């Protein structure tokens, strides 16, 4: 049984980010795995879940989401074995500090040593990242530059766009994946969705051929990666 | 008027007629650009002796502009082509006589357009996510509007009382006429525009712990019928959809504020059957198509219930004018289409087909338009901005 909990979509869902939770649930179900999507609204208790999904959001909502998560059982559930997929503002929230309007050191959840500062320019456009030899494709739209602590592994090397700092994007930690590729990045990269799903379920998954594979190839062609 | 104004206005008219004659589109932007190069104050000069209405908001601008124009009647200058920045405004005004104008305005251009045109009435329809890769985030737009409203005490704002972001932008205005109209899209206002806490919505109202809430008295409201500033009206629109009821309510309220004869305006609104190629049946070779524009999640949510029984084609592009990032497809409740078959068209048809696959909707990707079937019944074509334009140009009015 897989339970995917989508965290505060009303705060962290600016770019269709909820799509990532749907994709994981649907790809599990297509293989006959019992999977279920739980939407966690602001003010609600963070439930026990196999995997939490965090999306992106504007400054005010991002700060509020971090405040609410800080006083919730989110961190302890992750300590106890839940997995996390985070994009964009969700990535920043998992880190040490981030910036919101009027404040440059807003406290994150400090699950990962990652400090986000204000970049000179917003990064808006296609993002491609080399992840274990494959190209992850997506779209980024954020004003941050994120510096990882010495022990933190980035998700991969930036092939196009900015990601954390123009060199690397996101991070991976035990049971955690994070990228600046916002929105439905798992819909664009079915192979990455399956890699995460396989790790979460601890099984190797049967291949699943869908139109998403055609989309991935088309985007790779369009981004020339 | 100065010689510079006369030359600039003449240049706009000349260049636009030339552009149309040599087939370079409808020529609204290019002529406007030439005129503005000659006189930077052209928009102010062209509106100096005119009563001006501005219409802005994420969705419904073009339709509401058409409604106010039709309802007012007679000679009204308007940017009917949907070219809604300064070049389009200048082009619409230069080529038109008469002392009244209704202009559709891009949301981010609204503050400077208010300064330049000194309107009598500004209607604010709604604010929701749209083209996030190039427009500002929606809360930032609300802040821009808020400043503009504060700086315009002589303008009457006709504003949607049911959209928290619009209310946030307008509530400190000196003259505000509130319209309580259907506004089903709530995702962008789930958290309070003032303090970011979650807003509480009930059937008829909404409020926040911080005290920010729906205005307690409204001037215009719909409750099955329509009451505009105290006068019940029998609205019987030919245009479909609840969102067009909202557009009509705002349009009639604006006309009432302007002192227009509301009953005769209502009759003209009821008779509108098509706006800029939308809603009416159009011919594409042997096929009958009904085109619907839906360019963002709120627009799609409003359009999905209008889809008829016949074939359904959806066309999605992601050009600059559409927003280059089609992530928003995942905010559209396509799950409503479960059980239907959708033909996926447009430059981002694979993004659409993937989205529909995850929604559990039967989707077919068609690469070659020539291979599309010729169904007996009219086809509904829902398309986003540039995809809609392509379909409008491919088809002709019946
Ligand atoms: Zn509040």
């Amino acid at each position: 049984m897989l339970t995917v909990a989508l965290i505060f979509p009303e705060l962290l869902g600016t770019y269709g980010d909820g799509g990532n939770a749907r994709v994981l649930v649907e790809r599990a179900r297509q293989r006959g795995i019992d999977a279920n999507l739980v939407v966690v609204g602001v003010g609600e208790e963070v439930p026990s879940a196999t995997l939490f999904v965090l999306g992106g959001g504007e400054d005010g909502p991002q700060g509020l989401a971090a405040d609410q998560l800080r006083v919730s059982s989110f961190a302890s559930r992750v300590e106890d074995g839940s997995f996390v997929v985070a994009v964009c503002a969700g990535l920043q929230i998992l880190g040490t500090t981030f910036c919101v309007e009027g404040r440059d050191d807003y406290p994150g959840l400090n699950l990962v040593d990652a400090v986000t500062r204000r970049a000179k320019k917003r990064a808006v456009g296609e993002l491609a990242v080399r992840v274990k030899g494959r190209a992850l494709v997506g779209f980024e739209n954020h004003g941050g530059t994120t510096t990882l602590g010495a022990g933190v592994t980035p998700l991969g090397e930036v092939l196009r766009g900015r990601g954390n700092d123009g060199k690397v994007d996101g991070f991976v930690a035990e049971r955690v994946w994070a990228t600046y590729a916002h929105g439905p990045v798992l819909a664009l990269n079915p192979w990455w969705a399956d890699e995460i799903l396989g790790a979460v379920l601890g099984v190797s998954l049967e291949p699943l051929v869908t139109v998403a594979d055609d989309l991935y190839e088309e985007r790779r062609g369009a981004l020339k990666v | 008027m100065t010689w510079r104004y006369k030359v600039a206005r003449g240049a706009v008219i000349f260049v636009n007629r030339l552009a149309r004659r040599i087939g370079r589109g409808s020529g609204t932007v290019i002529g406007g650009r030439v005129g503005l190069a000659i006189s930077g104050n052209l928009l102010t000069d062209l509106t100096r002796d005119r009563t001006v209405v501005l219409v802005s908001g994420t969705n419904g601008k073009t339709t509401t502009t058409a409604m106010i124009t039709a309802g007012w009647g007679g000679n009204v200058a308007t940017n009917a082509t949907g070219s809604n920045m300064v070049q389009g405004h200048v082009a619409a005004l230069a080529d038109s006589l008469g002392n009244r104008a209704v202009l559709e305005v891009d949301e981010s251009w609204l503050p400077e357009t208010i300064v330049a045109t000194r309107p009598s009435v500004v209607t604010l329809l709604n604010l929701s996510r749209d083209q996030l890769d190039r427009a500002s985030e929606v809360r930032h737009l609300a802040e821009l509007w808020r400043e503009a409203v504060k700086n315009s005490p002589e303008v009457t704002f006709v504003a949607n009382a049911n959209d928290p972001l619009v209310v946030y932008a307008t509530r400190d205005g000196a003259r505000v006429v509130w319209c309580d109209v259907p506004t089903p899209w709530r995702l962008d206002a789930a958290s309070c525009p003032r303090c970011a806490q979650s807003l509480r919505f009930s059937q008829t109202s909404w409020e926040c712990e911080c005290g920010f809430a729906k205005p307690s008295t409204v001037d215009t409201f719909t409750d099955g019928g329509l009451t505009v500033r105290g006068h019940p009206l029998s609205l019987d629109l030919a245009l479909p959809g609840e969102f067009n009821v909202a557009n009509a309510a705002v349009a009639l309220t604006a006309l009432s504020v302007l002192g227009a004869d509301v009953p005769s305006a209502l009759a003209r609104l009821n008779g509108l059957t098509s706006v800029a190629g939308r809603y009416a049946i159009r011919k594409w070779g042997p096929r009958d198509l009904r085109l619907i524009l839906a360019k963002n999640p709120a627009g799609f949510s409003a359009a999905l219930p209008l889809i008829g029984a016949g074939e359904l084609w959806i066309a999605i592009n992601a050009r600059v004018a559409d927003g280059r990032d089609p992530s928003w497809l995942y905010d559209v409740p396509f799950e409503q289409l479960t059980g239907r078959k959708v033909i996926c068209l447009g430059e981002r048809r694979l993004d659409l087909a993937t989205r529909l696959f995850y929604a559990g909707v039967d989707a077919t990707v068609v690469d070659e338009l020539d291979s599309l079937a010729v169904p007996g019944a009219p086809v509904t074509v829902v398309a986003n901005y540039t995809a809609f334009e392509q379909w409008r140009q491919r088809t002709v009015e019946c």
Side-chain angles (χ1 to χ4, degrees):
Chain A
M1 174 75 183
L2 171 76
T3 302
V4 177
L6 178 62
I7 297 292
F8 307 156
E10 63 272 65
L11 299 177
L12 301 175
T14 309
Y15 304 100
D17 312 276
N20 290 325
R22 282 168 209 251
V23 167
L24 290 168
V25 166
E26 196 54 37
R27 293 186 77 82
R29 283 182 184 159
Q30 293 274 335
R31 289 159 165 123
I33 297 161
D34 199 6
N36 138 40
L37 173 62
V38 181
V39 176
V40 185
V42 184
E44 287 176 23
E45 193 78 5
V46 173
S48 135
T50 327
L51 172 73
F52 295 110
V53 175
L54 276 72
E58 299 176 53
D59 281 10
Q62 179 183 1
L64 179 64
D67 295 346
Q68 299 254 327
L69 285 173
R70 202 176 302 112
V71 297
S72 76
S73 56
F74 178 79
S76 67
R77 292 194 189 282
V78 175
E79 297 282 316
D80 292 346
S82 295
F83 292 78
V84 186
V85 173
V87 303
C88 200
L91 169 156
Q92 298 180 354
I93 286 173
L94 295 181
T96 324
T97 58
F98 56 88
C99 307
V100 297
E101 206 164 310
R103 197 164 162 199
D104 286 355
D105 59 346
Y106 207 90
L109 300 178
N110 207 14
L111 288 176
V112 175
D113 181 3
V115 175
T116 300
R117 295 193 180 80
R118 208 176 294 279
K120 283 197 192 76
K121 229 177 131 242
R122 265 191 100 73
V124 183
E126 312 278 0
L127 172 65
V129 185
R130 193 195 312 282
V131 179
K132 294 190 194 163
R134 297 188 74 159
L136 180 90
V137 295
F139 203 96
E140 64 182 334
N141 186 347
H142 63 98
T145 171
T146 298
T147 308
L148 303 179
V152 183
T153 314
L155 174 65
E157 167 204 349
V158 169
L159 301 171
R160 186 172 166 165
R162 181 158 87 208
N164 294 358
D165 57 2
K167 297 184 199 75
V168 297
D169 175 58
F171 48 75
V172 283
E174 210 188 340
R175 299 191 298 279
V176 178
W177 296 266
T179 175
Y180 267 111
H182 71 203
V185 58
L186 298 183
L188 294 171
N189 300 275
W191 59 272
W192 197 46
D194 283 355
E195 195 172 294
I196 290 170
L197 209 50
V200 168
L201 295 167
V203 296
S204 76
L205 295 164
E206 294 290 312
L208 178 68
V209 178
T210 74
V211 66
D213 303 304
D214 301 335
L215 172 62
Y216 173 65
E217 290 307 327
E218 191 255 338
R219 294 322 297 155
R220 264 185 63 194
L223 270 66
K224 301 184 181 74
V225 290
Chain B
M1 289 292 166
T2 63
W3 67 269
R4 190 181 280 278
Y5 165 72
K6 286 180 190 150
V7 171
R9 181 172 184 171
V12 175
I13 297 170
F14 174 76
V15 172
N16 280 345
R17 290 198 181 141
L18 186 68
R20 279 195 288 271
R21 197 156 61 228
I22 62 173
R24 292 281 302 277
S26 56
T28 47
V29 171
I30 178 166
R33 204 174 284 155
V34 170
L36 287 161
I38 298 169
S39 169
N41 286 328
L42 190 53
L43 183 57
T44 299
D45 290 341
L46 282 166
T47 48
R48 196 178 303 285
D49 298 318
R50 282 171 158 141
T51 304
V52 175
V53 180
L54 304 182
V55 178
S56 199
T58 309
N59 288 314
K61 288 188 287 289
T62 303
T63 302
T64 306
T65 300
M67 284 174 165
I68 298 173
T69 305
W72 222 352
N75 198 351
V76 180
T78 186
N79 52 336
T81 58
S83 179
N84 60 15
M85 299 184 221
V86 61
Q87 300 89 345
H89 297 153
V90 163
L93 293 162
D95 216 353
S96 161
L97 300 170
N99 57 3
R100 299 172 300 164
V102 184
L103 299 175
E104 167 186 339
V105 186
D106 180 271
E107 301 85 276
S108 51
W109 279 84
L110 184 64
E112 54 199 288
T113 310
I114 291 175
V115 171
T117 64
R118 302 164 317 270
S120 304
V121 174
V122 174
T123 73
L124 304 178
L125 299 167
N126 49 63
L127 274 178
S128 72
R129 58 190 67 188
D130 184 39
Q131 302 177 348
L132 289 170
D133 66 311
R134 69 188 189 106
S136 310
E137 288 174 338
V138 54
R139 277 155 203 275
H140 180 66
L141 277 178
E143 291 291 348
L144 279 179
W145 280 17
R146 189 175 161 78
E147 276 307 300
V149 169
K150 270 198 250 173
N151 295 333
S152 313
E154 69 295 342
V155 175
T156 301
F157 289 89
V158 173
N160 181 353
N162 234 335
D163 186 316
L165 288 163
V166 170
V167 173
Y168 175 75
T170 322
R171 54 202 280 274
D172 296 331
R175 301 184 196 185
V176 183
V177 179
W178 294 112
C179 300
D180 186 354
V181 294
T183 312
W185 182 257
R186 290 274 155 82
L187 204 55
D188 291 294
S191 91
C192 175
R194 195 162 81 176
C195 76
Q197 296 286 335
S198 21
L199 286 182
R200 288 192 299 268
F201 289 93
S202 69
Q203 217 38 303
T204 56
S205 193
W206 49 266
E207 58 176 2
C208 177
E209 273 171 26
C210 75
F212 179 68
K214 179 175 169 177
S216 51
T217 53
V218 294
D219 306 276
T220 287
F221 56 91
T222 57
D223 53 352
L226 169 63
T227 301
V228 170
R229 303 177 81 208
H231 301 284
L233 300 174
S234 56
L235 190 67
D236 183 20
L237 291 177
L239 296 178
E242 206 183 29
F243 58 94
N244 278 326
V245 171
N247 294 337
V250 170
L252 289 165
T253 305
L255 289 165
S256 159
V257 169
L258 290 161
D261 181 47
V262 174
S264 49
L266 173 71
R268 287 190 286 262
L269 247 73
N270 283 338
L272 272 182
T273 54
S274 173
V275 173
R278 305 173 199 173
Y279 311 117
I281 298 278
R282 296 170 71 85
K283 280 268 173 215
W284 181 47
R287 301 170 187 84
D288 288 344
L289 311 183
R290 187 187 302 277
L291 304 189
I292 298 177
L293 172 74
K295 52 192 171 66
N296 50 45
F300 253 100
S301 298
L304 289 179
L306 301 184
I307 293 167
E311 275 209 21
L312 172 57
W313 303 352
I314 302 181
I316 300 294
N317 285 352
R319 299 185 179 191
V320 171
D322 302 304
R324 288 177 298 132
D325 174 20
S327 292
W328 58 272
L329 289 170
Y330 287 80
D331 288 327
V332 177
F334 281 119
E335 286 74 9
Q336 286 176 26
L337 296 177
T338 309
R340 290 198 64 140
K341 199 172 141 55
V342 179
I343 303 289
C344 301
L345 303 170
E347 290 151 11
R348 298 305 285 268
R349 54 190 176 275
L350 286 172
D351 294 79
L352 173 65
T354 300
R355 166 67 184 110
L356 291 172
F357 166 74
Y358 286 119
V361 177
D362 183 359
T364 305
V365 177
V366 172
D367 296 329
E368 296 296 333
L369 293 183
D370 293 341
S371 66
L372 284 163
V374 183
V379 177
T380 302
V381 183
V382 186
N384 72 336
Y385 193 72
T386 65
F388 180 90
E389 248 340 272
Q390 292 168 338
W391 277 103
R392 197 181 61 78
Q393 284 170 18
R394 246 172 234 142
T395 54
V396 290
E397 247 173 275
C398 283

